[in-house]
Amino acid sequence: MAKTSCCWGGGINPKTDIDLFLIEKKKQNVYLQWCEENLHKVFSFPHIFGKVRFLNKFWKRRVLKNPKLINYFIKEQYDVNIGFLEGISTIYISQKQGGKKIGYIHISLKEIRNNKRDELEARAYLELDSIICVSHYVKQSLLELYPELAHKHIEVIHNPINKDSILQKSQTLLSQAKQRFTFLQVGRLTHQKGLDVLLRANKILQDKGLEYDLWLLGEGERYKKELDSMIEAQGVKNVKFLGFCENPYPYIKMCDCMVLASYYEGYGLVLAEACVLGKAIIASDIPTSKEILHNEVLGDCGAFFASGDEVSLAQSMQEIYSQETRRNELEAKALEHSQCFSVAKAAESLESLL
């Protein structure tokens, strides 16, 4: 959950104007050190039960039952308060005293909630002054689940892309070498990412004798066990799990084709990042992927397959694998389309709203 205090005169200075309140502060969090070095203050609930995690979690849930208690733990009042994630953080922010209240939605709530309303969440969103959605589909999903929010100020601001940083980080040398044509999917190892579809499509192509590697970059030990069992049952040998990597860009740069087989996404940021690196892209035909990869002049800047359909995905993968002309066309389109992504534009929209 992020809380922001704004300096209205000369813009926002994170070092002096932004405090970050974490519902749970974990030392292993990848970006914690950056936040502590670059923001004014980073703090969290006191762990009144020491290291007994389940008791601390139970206690925070008790606070959630009475979210007005957030004012006891965060006594300072701010110009702007942002609930940066769906659920608990938004519910807390809705009860924070003083200042403007903003909710940030990164996912399709209708899918993630299995089309079931959460009345506590609905009341929280009604208390907000503004809501930011990372894509038009996320906004549509929100209103389908909670139509009473139609009168609220809801703004779509795409997640920002720092192209210079991506290009610079992509130059990092890897110990992992690419031996042959390689497909890559980047993201958490969860069912949402459509990895089961990707593995079934891979099996189809392996049975045809196509020679390539499939790299999966991301973590998720619980679901990985299911994927390992699936791979073992298929008897394929070309799948490699690379685990979590703080800097995925050298892998994206190295691969021949990026794949995003997700069943749904709030905003598939990795697609925009792949465009910056000029990669041929295959994506499921979900609304957010089409939103990211469509260009008014160039048309579709990626190859789409029918979501959940391994035969359709296998056909797209085989096309990219075997047709160099098609692959080069998509690479050129992706690179040109990347000019549409601007961190400055997103920052300007966000700062204007704040």
Side-chain angles (χ1 to χ4, degrees), residues 76-87:
E76 186 173 354
Q77 293 192 9
Y78 293 86
D79 298 303
V80 181
N81 306 275
I82 301 176
F84 195 68
L85 287 177
E86 310 76 17

Side-chain angles (χ1 to χ4, degrees), residues 2 7 18 28 34-35 44 59 73 78 101 124 154 168 192 200 206 221 233 239 247 281 300 305 312 317 350:
C7 174
I18 297 180
Q28 65 267 33
W34 185 95
C35 291
S44 64
W59 176 64
F73 296 105
Y78 293 86
K101 301 179 183 66
I154 304 175
Q168 180 182 5
Q192 172 198 339
R200 289 196 295 271
Q206 289 300 287
E221 287 303 315
V239 181
N247 178 14
I281 298 169
D300 290 335
F305 72 94
S312 176
M317 292 172 69
L350 181 58

Side-chain angles (χ1 to χ4, degrees), residues 309-346:
D309 186 344
E310 62 268 22
V311 175
S312 176
L313 174 53
Q315 289 171 346
S316 294
M317 292 172 69
Q318 184 168 357
E319 178 185 51
I320 300 301
Y321 172 86
S322 59
Q323 298 181 23
E324 185 177 0
T325 301
R326 173 61 170 158
R327 188 166 69 251
N328 291 340
E329 174 196 358
L330 289 178
E331 290 172 348
K333 279 188 173 184
L335 191 59
E336 186 171 350
H337 182 52
S338 71
Q339 302 305 314
C340 298
F341 305 120
S342 168
V343 66
K345 182 178 179 181

Side-chain angles (χ1 to χ4, degrees), residues 67-342:
K68 290 184 178 180
L69 284 173
I70 196 67
N71 296 290
Y72 175 80
F73 296 105
I74 309 177
K75 292 182 170 60
E76 186 173 354
Q77 293 192 9
Y78 293 86
D79 298 303
V80 181
N81 306 275
I82 301 176
F84 195 68
L85 287 177
E86 310 76 17
I88 292 177
S89 63
T90 299
I91 292 169
Y92 284 156
I93 279 296
S94 72
Q95 297 297 318
K96 185 70 179 74
Q97 293 175 353
K100 189 175 185 178
K101 301 179 183 66
I102 298 176
Y104 220 120
I105 306 180
H106 301 80
I107 59 175
S108 171
L109 281 178
K110 184 177 179 181
E111 277 85 0
I112 206 73
R113 303 286 188 256
N114 293 317
N115 207 25
K116 295 179 181 178
R117 292 173 55 92
D118 182 324
E119 296 305 327
L120 187 59
E121 182 177 63
R123 290 196 298 272
Y125 281 118
L126 284 169
E127 292 292 326
L128 302 178
D129 296 289
S130 299
I131 300 171
I132 299 173
C133 295
V134 298
S135 69
H136 293 282
Y137 182 68
V138 165
K139 178 179 177 179
Q140 176 187 329
S141 174
L142 171 69
L143 293 177
E144 287 178 356
L145 192 61
Y146 303 125
E148 64 269 35
L149 297 177
H151 72 284
K152 303 294 292 186
H153 177 211
I154 304 175
E155 191 157 340
V156 174
I157 301 178
H158 292 154
N159 285 331
I161 292 292
N162 189 331
K163 292 184 286 186
D164 291 339
S165 176
I166 291 172
L167 291 170
Q168 180 182 5
K169 290 180 178 179
S170 72
Q171 302 300 318
T172 302
L173 296 178
L174 297 173
S175 57
Q176 175 75 37
K178 183 167 77 76
Q179 303 295 335
R180 52 185 180 173
F181 193 100
T182 301
F183 291 99
L184 170 70
Q185 173 149 322
V186 178
R188 299 183 315 278
L189 303 183
T190 63
H191 181 262
Q192 172 198 339
K193 299 298 181 179
L195 293 164
D196 55 335
V197 182
L198 179 54
L199 290 180
R200 289 196 295 271
N202 179 62
K203 171 63 173 172
I204 292 173
L205 298 181
Q206 289 300 287
D207 287 346
K208 288 184 176 183
L210 275 65
E211 297 182 355
Y212 63 85
D213 288 320
L214 173 59
W215 291 354
L216 303 177
L217 186 61
E219 63 180 353
E221 287 303 315
R222 184 179 301 178
Y223 192 56
K224 184 177 180 298
K225 293 178 181 178
E226 295 183 32
L227 299 176
D228 283 334
S229 297
M230 186 175 180
I231 292 168
E232 184 178 0
Q234 291 176 335
V236 297
K237 304 295 184 183
N238 69 325
V239 181
K240 184 176 182 63
F241 291 95
L242 301 175
F244 172 79
C245 180
E246 186 176 345
N247 178 14
Y249 305 121
Y251 291 98
I252 297 175
K253 180 182 178 182
M254 186 185 296
C255 79
D256 296 286
C257 179
M258 273 291 301
V259 181
L260 187 64
S262 299
Y263 290 107
Y264 62 91
E265 289 282 347
Y267 187 81
L269 189 64
V270 70
L271 296 178
E273 294 168 335
C275 286
V276 171
L277 293 172
K279 292 287 114 178
I281 298 169
I282 298 173
S284 54
D285 60 353
I286 57 177
T288 46
S289 293
K290 288 190 169 184
E291 184 175 331
I292 294 170
L293 292 176
H294 183 74
N295 185 289
E296 292 184 1
V297 176
L298 302 171
D300 290 335
C301 297
F304 294 106
F305 72 94
S307 178
D309 186 344
E310 62 268 22
V311 175
S312 176
L313 174 53
Q315 289 171 346
S316 294
M317 292 172 69
Q318 184 168 357
E319 178 185 51
I320 300 301
Y321 172 86
S322 59
Q323 298 181 23
E324 185 177 0
T325 301
R326 173 61 170 158
R327 188 166 69 251
N328 291 340
E329 174 196 358
L330 289 178
E331 290 172 348
K333 279 188 173 184
L335 191 59
E336 186 171 350
H337 182 52
S338 71
Q339 302 305 314
C340 298
F341 305 120
S342 168

